[in-house]
């Protein structure tokens, strides 16, 4: 089995705009072309597009727009977890020998149909994700004494990180008090505890081991992959103090990579809400169950860097693009290209992407 | 690299109904469960759903409905070519070692958003696929003398075959004159030259070589895979007497399988319109360029069996389900389970699935 590397990435500014889905996606693809020395569209065997938009035939249309005539082209959707599904399909197409060079494009508009969970009749009128986030938050507060201040610290950190990311939607320094006093959404979730849907795109170029030297001397190898769908409806989420799909996906990714969480230097976690980042600290194995709130207080002194681009909360959440943009950040850090937010001596990274009240999740580990 | 087999299939009656997308998909999944001895949902590593429907999170929802907790679950769309994209992704997930057992589910409602090509502004008001079919038909008639009668023969054959397929939408014997006198759509395309969108679903179970004996003693091996997207817009289709994407996909599939087209016993071609089947005879290499019309006259005496289930024209065209249902027919014939339409001594089969004026195509070969 040959190894698979991510060799480069392309990004757009995350924003709210009148630009079309196609234009935004193409912007990230052109950025990718520019980032790869001697790039040629003729190389590309597959174009996999991650989006929750209703646009049909998107992968073929974007291929035509950008002058690519791929073998494989299709659109992939699994709500907020779409981007990492596309990443893993790209891995599979290369590892199976069907392709050598695959482009992954994640794109979304702010008014994506995935913003609400209207298919889940068990939620009644509570189709906005803030409802499940509130229930997770309350459960963790009741069980482990996690506080609203600790959750606020996640938002403060991610907004602070986003200030060093020119592509982020938000560039606003906020305080714990700003979060605590922000608009109540669903108790105890307040506005600054939430990520915000926006426009944006991100692209990745994945290459087989045998072709990798043509493109970079800094390949970022995919070392571990784990995914799990436990259910789809919120009524089937039995435990609110942990995210089973993340726990199982992480276990499989660490097993495949033959690593332990303590060696991870840089991680992008799916902070759709602040409580999700606190749960992720625990469920990815960086800290014991129940200690995520206190970890949020001390994270500046820990041996791990979480959501250096600003996370979903600071960067914005263009749904189908998020998993791809998370992976792009890890690649950027591992290639030592993250500019003024570069973490020193990054060797191992992790991407955590998930959907719909943590009913499905992906964990991908990468290393140099 | 381990081999990948299709071990079984599940089908629904193709119909027009008030049944939901989920109910129709689940029906084909339950049929698959029933067709596999000792099937357990616990085995399933991935659920890949092919559909052009706008329903979000479909793969996770269907997994929950059917009691499956897969690792990988997502929706795949590439218009009419979606089903075979899902099939090839399933192959990749197994061949790459990420999965051992993958379920592919293709499903569509008759009112699918993919019925029209509204994204292609170069088509002006001519968004219905019958417009490009008319242009392909006229070009082939002008260049090679293909006749409306020869095209009608394709429809007569496929309707005749559909009469032996209990799952087909149509069970009506028609004559050449019936086709020629049917309602004019876009000259020279008439109603009986067209396939019809309908409701329907089809499922497949793909298994790795090391696990295959648990499920069947009649594995159908995937031997060759070819895919190509040449463009998306009709204005970029330069030649109307051949389907370049099919020619290129077939070349790659035959190369991978190390076979020649003459050894194929059974083939499902994408007869969205009668002209497509005539072009497919040529572009898949069963007959020289230009001789497809005459081949349609003599096909009962040829060493190949085309569209034994009735094709899209006789069976109906539930868009995301079509590629999966085509593959199910080939598997059924190769497993000698096709009942009163069983072809004797079937050893090698081929699936040809495509999209949007043949701008993309898939060819998959299978053997026992």
């Amino acid at each position: 089995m040959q190894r698979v590397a991510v060799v480069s990435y392309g990004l757009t500014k995350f924003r709210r705009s009148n630009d079309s889905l196609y234009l935004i996606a193409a912007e990230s693809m052109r950025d990718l072309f520019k980032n790869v020395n001697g790039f040629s569209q003729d190389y590309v065997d597959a174009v996999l597009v991650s989006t929750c938009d209703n646009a049909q035939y998107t992968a073929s249309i974007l291929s035509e727009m950008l002058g690519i005539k791929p073998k494989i082209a299709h659109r992939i959707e699994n709500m907020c977890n779409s981007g990492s599904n596309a990443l893993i399909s790209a891995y599979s197409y290369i590892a199976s020998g069907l392709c050598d060079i695959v482009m992954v494009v994640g794109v979304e508009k702010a008014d994506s149909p995935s913003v609400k969970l209207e298919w889940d009749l068990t939620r009644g009128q509570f189709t906005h994700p803030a409802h499940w986030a509130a229930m997770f938050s309350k459960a963790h507060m009741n069980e482990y004494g996690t506080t609203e201040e600790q959750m606020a610290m996640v938002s403060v950190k991610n907004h602070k990180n986003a200030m060093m990311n020119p592509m982020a939607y938000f560039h606003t320094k906020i305080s714990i008090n700003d979060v605590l006093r922000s608009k109540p959404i669903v108790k105890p979730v307040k506005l600054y505890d939430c990520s915000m849907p926006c426009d944006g795109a991100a692209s990745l170029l994945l290459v087989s081991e045998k072709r990798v030297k043509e493109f970079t001397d800094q390949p970022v190898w995919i070392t571990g992959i784990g995914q799990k769908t436990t259910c789809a409806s919120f009524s089937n989420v039995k435990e609110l103090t942990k995210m089973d799909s993340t726990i199982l996906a992480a276990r499989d990714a660490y097993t495949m990579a033959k690593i332990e969480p303590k060696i991870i230097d840089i991680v992008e976690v799916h902070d759709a809400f602040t409580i999700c980042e606190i749960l992720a600290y625990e469920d990815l194995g960086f800290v014991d169950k129940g200690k995520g709130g206190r970890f949020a207080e001390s994270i500046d002194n820990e041996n791990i860097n979480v959501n250096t681009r600003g996370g979903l909360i600071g960067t914005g959440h263009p749904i189908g693009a998020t998993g791809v943009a998370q992976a792009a950040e890890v690649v950027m850090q591992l290639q030592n290209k993250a500019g003024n937010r570069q973490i020193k001596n990054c060797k191992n990274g992790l991407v955590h992407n998930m959907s719909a009240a943590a009913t499905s999740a992906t964990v991908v580990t990468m290393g140099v």
Side-chain angles (χ1 to χ4, degrees), chain A residues 202-367:
Chain A
S203 295
L204 296 169
L205 194 69
L206 281 83
V207 177
S208 64
E209 187 165 15
K210 68 173 188 260
R211 298 281 307 269
V212 82
K213 282 187 183 158
E214 297 170 42
F215 297 94
T216 187
D217 54 4
Q218 294 182 294
V220 175
W221 301 104
I222 293 178
T223 54
I225 289 173
Q227 275 197 312
K228 190 68 186 178
T229 290
T230 53
C231 57
S233 308
F234 192 57
S235 58
N236 278 331
V237 177
K238 303 299 181 198
E239 301 231 38
L240 298 174
T241 55
K242 62 193 181 82
M243 306 188 292
D244 280 333
S245 59
T246 293
I247 293 170
L248 295 167
R251 183 199 63 187
D252 285 357
Y254 294 139
T255 301
M256 179 173 163
K258 300 189 181 96
I259 60 173
E260 304 220 349
K262 65 182 176 202
I263 75 152
I264 302 291
D265 305 301
I266 162 96
V267 55
E268 287 289 308
V269 307
H270 194 93
D271 59 324
F273 301 93
T274 50
I275 185 63
C276 302
E277 181 160 328
I278 287 173
L279 288 167
Y281 297 151
E282 303 170 357
D283 297 337
L284 294 170
F286 301 130
V287 66
D288 289 341
K289 179 48 69 186
K291 297 192 175 162
R294 268 164 287 165
F295 195 75
E297 292 178 4
S298 65
I299 195 158
D300 286 344
N301 305 316
E302 303 290 343
N303 287 324
I304 191 162
N305 300 280
V306 182
N307 287 340
T308 49
R309 72 186 180 113
L312 283 61
I313 287 174
T315 316
H317 183 22
I319 299 177
T322 284
V324 185
Q326 291 179 305
E329 175 72 10
V330 171
V331 171
M332 201 182 295
Q333 291 281 1
L334 293 175
Q335 291 185 329
N336 202 28
K337 292 179 177 173
N340 62 353
R341 65 181 190 277
Q342 180 64 47
I343 305 301
K344 283 182 188 158
N345 300 319
C346 265
K347 300 292 179 198
N348 289 285
L350 183 149
V351 176
H352 166 246
N353 185 206
M354 65 181 203
S355 279
T359 51
S360 66
T362 306
V363 173
V364 177
T365 60
M366 303 186 197

Side-chain angles (χ1 to χ4, degrees), chain A residues 54-72:
Chain A
N54 291 338
Q56 301 280 320
Y57 214 39
T58 331
S60 295
I61 294 169
L62 285 169
S63 296
E64 180 182 281
M65 282 176 71
L66 276 293
I68 302 170
K69 296 183 178 184
K71 294 176 185 166
I72 288 122

